[in-house]
Structures are given as structure tokens and as C-alpha cells.
Amino acid sequence: MAEGIASRGDRRIGAVIERVWRAGGTFQEWSEHFDLGLWEAAMTAEGLTVDEVVHRDRTEHEALPWDHIAAGLHRDFLWQDWLDAVAEQGLPDCRWTPCYDCGVCTGSGLEHVVASPVTPAGGSQGTAQDLASGGRVPVRFAATANH
């Protein structure tokens, strides 16, 4: 619930988080310290409800709490990705398929450079992991002049 409040809330949630902290809400991510009552009380004190912030469906054209953050992904791509997730439809990895024009590469000087027509042979996502041996990353030590 606290993660939903923090991730789906707008700027008003800063005051909620501060209230939880001032009320002793430290280590809230640890189950033995978590106190949902602190969050509910802070939400009420700030005139908010959990349903309004966490459980409410969003519409395509409403201002979203993170709209002011530029993470490289186009808003329309994210909306379609949300609809696909709700419909339980996955999106194949664009490194091995045609570009989806999501916006990550655009403007970063990468412009589709991360896309590749073939999956790397014997490895995972270009990390040189040998999946046949359990995903270990090969490490080779170079000889030094002292040895």
C-alpha cells in the first residue's frame, strides 16, 4: 500500500511521507516495522484517501503524477504498454525485433543502435553470460608484470 501511495501519488504525497516519518515511521519497508495505520492517518490528515490515490483507474488524457519527469519514453507508448499489460500481452524485446519507437533511444545519440537483428549466440542480452553453464559471467585474469 505504501508503495502504491508513493508511486501513484502526486506532489501532495511529499507531505504524507513527511507525516509518516515524523510519526516514527522508519524502516517501513521491513515487515516487522511496517505500520499501515501511519500511512492511513497521514493520508487522512492531508485530505487524501487511499482509494483516490492508489486504486483509482487513470484515464489516457489526465495529468499523471510523473508527467513532469522526462525518462525518455513517450507518453503514448507508455499508455499503450499499460493497455497491453492489462490485456496480458507481452512486448518482445526490441533488440531482436523491429523498433517500437518508444522514445528511449531517440535524442540520446543511440537512435536504434541497441536494436540487433539477431540474438547473441550463447549469451544473454549481450552480457557474455554462458546460459549453458548456469549464467556465470566468464572472468579472465590478465597476467601482471609482478607475477
Side-chain angles (χ1 to χ4, degrees), residues 52-114:
E52 161 190 14
V53 174
V54 178
H55 301 298
R56 180 177 62 82
D57 286 334
R58 310 296 171 127
T59 63
E60 180 178 3
H61 299 291
E62 76 177 275
L64 299 173
W66 49 87
D67 276 347
H68 65 285
I69 300 171
L73 292 167
H74 298 307
R75 191 177 203 279
D76 58 342
F77 176 83
L78 290 173
W79 182 257
Q80 186 59 52
D81 197 42
W82 163 250
L83 295 176
D84 290 343
V86 170
E88 299 180 13
Q89 297 175 359
L91 191 61
D93 190 321
C94 67
R95 288 172 290 187
W96 329 126
T97 62
C99 175
Y100 298 112
D101 194 28
C102 67
V104 170
C105 300
T106 307
S108 299
L110 298 176
E111 205 71 42
H112 313 292
V113 171
V114 296

Side-chain angles (χ1 to χ4, degrees), residues 11-87:
R11 294 168 192 225
R12 298 172 293 174
I13 299 304
V16 171
I17 293 170
E18 182 178 359
R19 281 183 183 273
V20 170
W21 173 73
R22 290 191 183 280
T26 57
F27 303 113
Q28 287 290 285
E29 67 277 11
W30 298 4
S31 60
E32 67 270 24
H33 295 282
F34 183 75
D35 183 354
L36 181 59
L38 293 176
W39 291 92
E40 292 169 334
M43 293 285 285
T44 300
E46 293 300 322
L48 301 169
T49 67
V50 171
D51 283 342
E52 161 190 14
V53 174
V54 178
H55 301 298
R56 180 177 62 82
D57 286 334
R58 310 296 171 127
T59 63
E60 180 178 3
H61 299 291
E62 76 177 275
L64 299 173
W66 49 87
D67 276 347
H68 65 285
I69 300 171
L73 292 167
H74 298 307
R75 191 177 203 279
D76 58 342
F77 176 83
L78 290 173
W79 182 257
Q80 186 59 52
D81 197 42
W82 163 250
L83 295 176
D84 290 343
V86 170

